[in-house]
Amino acid sequence: MIEKVILSIAEYFRVFQIICSIFIALAVSFTIERFFVVRRQWYWKLLLFGCSWLLSSMPFFIGDLVNLPPTVLIFVAGILLGCEGSLLKKLSLSFMIISLTSSFSVLIDNYLLSADSGIPTEQERIVYLSVKLLFYLMIYCSVKKFVPKKSYELSNRLWSLLGLLTLTPFCTVLSVVLFQEYNGEILTANAAFNKTILCLCILSFVGLIWAVVVLSHQYELEQSSRLLEMNHSIMNHWSGSSWKSENCGTI
């Protein structure tokens, strides 16, 4: 009887885990689609969902050299293949999203589930998945409310600048993960520092995305102004030419 109850609880947890993973991956992929034009074929959308699922569900433990680097490479490759836009745009926005998700994952993977507690219980795992789901839903809802869905275009110089700014939080996360050992005493001793750094990396995503929105709006205004000036100069040229032809005909 007890074994059946345990098995039923485990089954319910697996179902809950699958549902949470699907909704988290959907939230990440929908957030990506606010900034990119995804290629129309269904397999590109499936690729984007798979990369979003991998990035959001992969655990990133401090001192783990295996998970983070290949996950980053696979996600960037998925964005490069499945989305339209310039190379600099895709790289810059990809690393913005990676910095956000990896910072949050490192934070909760190492400090929500304590390194000293051993194997987490089912209740701890449910809390862990619920926190992840609420976080990514909050990110998606915030982006949906404050960021218009369109193809954000900037000059290569601006995308290069944003890419350089994005390297700061990304390299910070790499430093926290790759240059420390996974040890309970070390994690406890560096807890305040690591939490502060990772929270700042998460907040940097807000500033970088806001910069993309503002710069894109300014870029569109500049392009429209240049187009108006070009049309105005063309009209002046044709009006001057017609005036000269009329005067020549009168003479």
Side-chain angles (χ1 to χ4, degrees):
M1 183 64 182
I2 297 177
E3 292 180 355
K4 289 182 179 180
V5 172
I6 294 174
L7 289 175
S8 63
I9 293 175
E11 281 297 322
Y12 283 127
F13 174 73
R14 291 192 190 97
V15 173
F16 178 76
Q17 185 177 20
I18 292 172
I19 292 174
C20 284
S21 299
I22 291 173
F23 276 99
I24 290 171
L26 286 174
V28 175
S29 60
F30 288 159
T31 301
I32 294 172
E33 291 180 7
R34 304 295 296 185
F35 303 96
F36 289 107
V37 176
V38 183
R39 302 186 190 277
R40 295 182 178 180
Q41 291 82 356
W42 63 270
Y43 45 84
W44 295 121
K45 296 183 181 296
L46 184 61
L47 174 66
L48 180 64
F49 175 81
C51 291
S52 301
W53 175 82
L54 178 66
L55 183 64
S56 59
S57 62
M58 181 66 68
F60 298 135
F61 296 108
I62 292 176
D64 185 2
L65 307 180
V66 177
N67 289 345
L68 184 58
T71 301
V72 169
L73 293 177
I74 293 173
F75 180 79
V76 172
I79 294 294
L80 292 178
L81 294 173
C83 299
E84 298 178 358
S86 66
L87 176 62
L88 288 174
K89 171 187 175 180
K90 289 189 277 190
L91 288 176
S92 299
L93 288 174
S94 295
F95 280 100
M96 288 182 197
I97 296 169
I98 290 170
S99 299
L100 170 71
T101 54
S102 60
S103 301
F104 177 72
S105 295
V106 172
L107 188 63
I108 66 170
D109 289 341
N110 293 275
Y111 293 106
L112 183 62
L113 298 178
S114 175
D116 298 328
S117 62
I119 299 175
T121 63
E122 302 294 333
Q123 184 178 1
E124 289 176 334
R125 292 180 181 179
I126 290 174
V127 172
Y128 168 82
L129 289 172
S130 301
V131 170
K132 288 189 72 171
L133 180 60
L134 289 175
F135 174 79
Y136 286 109
L137 288 178
M138 181 184 67
I139 292 295
Y140 169 68
C141 292
S142 300
V143 170
K144 183 179 179 181
K145 182 177 181 180
F146 296 106
V147 179
K149 182 179 181 180
K150 63 178 183 178
S151 179
Y152 288 88
E153 299 298 337
L154 295 172
S155 64
N156 288 334
R157 180 178 296 181
L158 290 176
W159 281 125
S160 300
L161 175 61
L162 289 171
L164 290 175
L165 293 175
T166 307
L167 287 178
T168 301
F170 175 70
C171 292
T172 301
V173 177
L174 282 182
S175 301
V176 171
V177 173
L178 301 183
F179 299 148
Q180 296 186 60
E181 295 182 4
Y182 188 79
N183 182 284
E185 295 181 359
I186 295 177
L187 290 182
T188 302
N190 298 336
F193 176 78
N194 288 339
K195 291 177 182 179
T196 303
I197 290 295
L198 293 171
C199 288
L200 289 175
C201 291
I202 294 173
L203 289 176
S204 68
F205 173 80
V206 178
L208 290 169
I209 290 301
W210 186 252
V212 171
V213 175
V214 173
L215 291 174
S216 177
H217 180 66
Q218 184 66 28
Y219 184 75
E220 289 177 355
L221 292 178
E222 291 178 359
Q223 293 297 102
S224 300
S225 178
R226 291 177 183 176
L227 183 61
L228 288 175
E229 290 179 0
M230 187 180 299
N231 291 334
H232 184 67
S233 62
I234 292 173
M235 292 297 294
N236 288 337
H237 175 75
W238 281 107
S239 61
S241 299
S242 61
W243 182 81
K244 288 180 180 180
S245 61
E246 290 177 359
N247 287 339
C248 291
T250 303
I251 293 173

